[in-house]
């Protein structure tokens, strides 16, 4: 038997309603990187999605007020990094405003197309940006995969209830 929702507790649409709802949705954690005019930029994303296999396309959202947005708005390519459960501190660093995201202890190198590539991740991709779609106070970035490496070991990092978590069996 399925429980019937209590429609008497329903709330009108608001940013808080959306945030409260999606805190209950476990999402994989990625870091998106790009080369900016004054150096590498990056941010933590839980909006990463596979869009198409042919051609291989991914998407992610980025706020237009984010410090990384000006670089992503101009970049031709981005790096997409799937984080492992051992990388909650890295995820927190790339999520924190004002953090030195590419300073120690972050380990990275310049990859193809000048994209910053993070070490120790479960998988990484270098993607060519093919579109930036306005979506409220964000942009949905569509990017075609150019190359990557899915061979990292470990289990994925998840974001749930406002915290970074690992999978449980």
């Amino acid at each position: 038997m399925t429980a019937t929702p209590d429609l008497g507790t329903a709330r009108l649409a608001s940013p808080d309603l959306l945030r409260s709802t999606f805190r209950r949705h476990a999402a994989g954690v990625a870091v998106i990187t790009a080369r900016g005019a004054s150096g590498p930029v990056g941010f933590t994303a839980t909006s990463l999605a596979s869009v198409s296999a042919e051609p291989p396309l991914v998407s992610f959202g980025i706020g237009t007020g984010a410090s990384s947005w000006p670089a992503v708005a101009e970049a031709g390519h981005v790096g997409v990094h799937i984080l492992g459960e051992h990388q909650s501190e890295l995820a927190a660093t790339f999520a924190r405003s004002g953090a030195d995201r590419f300073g120690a202890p972050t380990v990275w190198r310049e990859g193809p197309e000048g994209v910053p590539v993070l070490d120790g991740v479960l998988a990484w991709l270098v993607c060519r940006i093919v579109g930036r779609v306005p979506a409220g106070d964000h942009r949905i970035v569509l990017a075609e995969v150019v190359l990557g490496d899915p061979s990292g070991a470990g289990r994925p990092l998840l974001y749930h209830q406002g915290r970074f978590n690992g999978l449980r069996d």
Side-chain angles (χ1 to χ4, degrees):
M1 183 170 165
T2 320
T4 304
D6 179 4
L7 297 180
T9 60
R11 300 176 3 208
L12 292 175
S14 70
D16 183 57
L17 172 63
L18 188 67
R19 282 190 288 273
S20 295
T21 300
F22 274 86
R23 279 188 195 107
R24 289 166 165 67
H25 174 70
V29 181
V31 168
I32 309 299
T33 61
R35 180 176 57 193
S38 58
V41 300
F43 63 98
T44 299
T46 57
S47 60
L48 180 65
S50 171
V51 175
S52 168
E54 188 58 44
L57 295 173
V58 298
S59 71
F60 59 87
I62 179 172
T64 56
S67 61
S68 297
W69 169 242
V72 174
E74 298 296 323
H77 292 80
V78 292
V80 175
H81 307 83
I82 307 299
L83 300 190
E85 64 185 357
H86 63 287
Q87 295 178 303
S88 60
E89 284 302 316
L90 182 67
T93 297
F94 276 84
R96 195 171 24 256
S97 181
D100 181 3
R101 296 172 178 162
F102 290 90
T106 302
V107 180
W108 65 282
R109 64 192 180 286
E110 185 173 309
E113 304 297 337
V115 171
V117 175
L118 303 176
D119 286 352
V121 296
L122 297 187
W124 60 267
L125 302 168
V126 170
C127 304
R128 181 178 60 85
I129 295 178
V130 296
R132 296 171 185 89
V133 181
D137 62 354
H138 278 60
R139 294 296 180 268
I140 305 301
V141 177
L142 293 168
E144 184 173 8
V145 176
V146 175
L147 61 99
D149 181 358
S151 66
R155 295 164 59 117
L157 183 64
L158 301 177
Y159 188 73
H160 180 251
Q161 294 289 8
R163 295 185 9 232
F164 297 113
N165 300 281
L167 284 175
R168 292 189 200 111
D169 289 332

